[in-house]
């Protein structure tokens, strides 16, 4: 592998995330008044088509795992696998909000090496090769949480750490909110898949944030079963307090 390869891959990831986000805005503008479910489907399909075509052009021969495409066991033996979520946060997208995202990640030889996330359009694209965590810790701690449902474990962690819950949209938006200093942690225990977190986790790791499963084990990608139901992302300064609160919540029969 040459020194130019990571940058070339980063350019590909940035380009694809940016173009897919632009296409999603076009789809929304082209379909005023379309019911939410139909608009979600149009967004998923349109972004998937663009991303698939771009990867075939720019990264031919690489394997792909995407939420919106049929899976293939061939990816398990492939040295390079792109993990894609063409539209993370379909509800927010269909409601005209901007807290949705496009995820483009790369796994090389079993290791998550790259991630690009377009946040709500083409003008805010984070890439793991050139990102750093922003803003110092606030007081109180802010935990990003779903707009519609806060898992019980998150409520327990918030109570134990005297944290405020900050509602926002997609998983990618929540993880990137920690990177951008808009939140201090994101704790999820309600079920996700690899494409929901691969790209933003790559960015979070590159920014120096703590990332893991709820039990403290590593988040691993390109597995036979892409179900990856829980995760933690937080500033390293609060890792111990957050993980202690999670451990206590998991040990409690009521949680």
């Amino acid at each position: 592998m040459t020194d130019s390869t990571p940058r070339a891959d980063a350019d590909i990831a940035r380009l694809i995330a940016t173009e897919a986000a632009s296409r999603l805005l076009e789809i929304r503008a082209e379909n005023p008044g379309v019911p939410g479910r139909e608009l979600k489907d149009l967004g998923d399909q349109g972004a998937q088509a663009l991303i698939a075509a771009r990867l075939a052009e720019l990264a031919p021969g690489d394997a792909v795992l995407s939420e919106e495409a049929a899976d293939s066991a061939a990816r398990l033996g492939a040295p390079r696998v792109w993990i894609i979520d063409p539209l993370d946060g379909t509800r927010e997208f269909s409601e005209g909000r901007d807290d949705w995202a496009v995820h483009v990640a790369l796994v090389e030889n079993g290791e998550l090496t790259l991630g690009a996330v377009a946040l709500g359009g083409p003008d805010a694209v984070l890439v793991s090769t050139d990102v750093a965590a922003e803003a110092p810790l606030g007081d109180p701690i802010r935990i990003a949480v779903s707009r519609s449902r806060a898992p019980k474990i998150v409520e327990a962690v918030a109570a134990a750490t005297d944290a405020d819950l900050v509602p926002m949209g997609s998983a990618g938006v929540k993880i990137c909110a920690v990177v951008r200093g808009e939140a201090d942690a994101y704790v999820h225990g309600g079920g996700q898949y690899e494409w929901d977190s691969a790209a933003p986790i790559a960015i979070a790791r590159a920014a120096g944030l703590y990332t893991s499963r709820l039990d403290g084990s590593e988040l691993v990608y390109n597995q036979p079963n892409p179900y990856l139901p829980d995760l933690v992302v937080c500033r390293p300064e609060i890792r111990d307090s957050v993980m202690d609160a999670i451990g206590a919540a998991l040990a409690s029969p009521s949680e």
Side-chain angles (χ1 to χ4, degrees):
M1 181 179 295
T2 67
D3 290 342
S4 64
T5 300
R7 176 52 59 183
D9 288 336
D11 291 343
I12 290 170
R14 186 192 302 274
L15 176 67
I16 290 174
T18 300
E19 291 187 348
S22 293
R23 180 62 190 134
L24 283 162
L25 290 182
E26 291 173 353
I27 289 169
R28 198 159 66 180
E30 291 164 359
N31 294 277
V34 170
R37 179 67 264 173
E38 184 178 344
L39 187 57
K40 292 176 184 179
D41 291 342
L42 289 171
D44 278 333
Q45 295 162 9
Q48 170 63 28
L50 184 150
I51 292 170
R54 274 308 213 173
L55 284 175
E57 172 193 358
L58 299 172
D62 288 356
V64 181
L65 171 64
S66 173
E67 180 178 16
E68 299 302 325
D71 194 6
S72 169
R75 66 177 170 81
L76 300 175
R80 291 166 50 91
V81 183
W82 295 89
I83 301 182
I84 304 297
D85 192 340
L87 174 53
D88 183 52
T90 53
R91 174 184 174 184
E92 286 74 22
F93 173 77
S94 70
E95 292 176 351
R97 296 171 58 93
D98 61 4
D99 47 348
W100 51 269
V102 176
H103 297 180
V104 180
L106 178 62
V107 171
E108 298 180 274
N109 299 312
E111 297 295 327
L112 180 64
T113 59
L114 175 67
V117 176
L119 296 164
D123 298 328
V125 181
L126 303 185
V127 183
S128 57
T129 52
D130 56 4
V131 69
E134 297 181 11
L137 267 176
D139 186 18
I141 292 170
R142 302 154 296 170
I143 300 178
V145 68
S146 171
R147 293 170 53 219
S148 57
R149 58 195 182 283
K152 288 185 178 180
I153 193 167
V154 178
E155 295 176 347
V157 171
T161 58
D162 196 26
D164 286 343
L165 298 180
V166 183
M168 58 185 72
S170 78
V173 167
K174 295 185 189 78
I175 295 170
C176 289
V178 185
V179 174
R180 301 172 91 187
E182 297 162 356
D184 302 302
Y186 172 44
V187 178
H188 182 79
Q192 289 181 351
Y193 290 83
E194 291 186 14
W195 46 75
D196 292 307
S197 64
I201 286 294
I203 292 169
R205 289 176 178 175
L209 300 178
Y210 173 77
T211 69
S212 75
R213 300 282 303 273
L214 289 180
D215 63 3
S217 61
E218 185 178 357
L219 292 156
V220 181
Y221 294 89
N222 195 37
Q223 297 301 291
N225 183 350
Y227 186 59
L228 189 57
D230 57 75
L231 59 80
V232 181
V233 178
C234 70
R235 290 183 171 275
E237 303 96 316
I238 61 172
R239 177 191 63 187
D240 290 346
S241 60
V242 169
M243 294 306 293
D244 287 348
I246 291 170
L250 292 175
S252 172
S254 62
E255 294 300 331

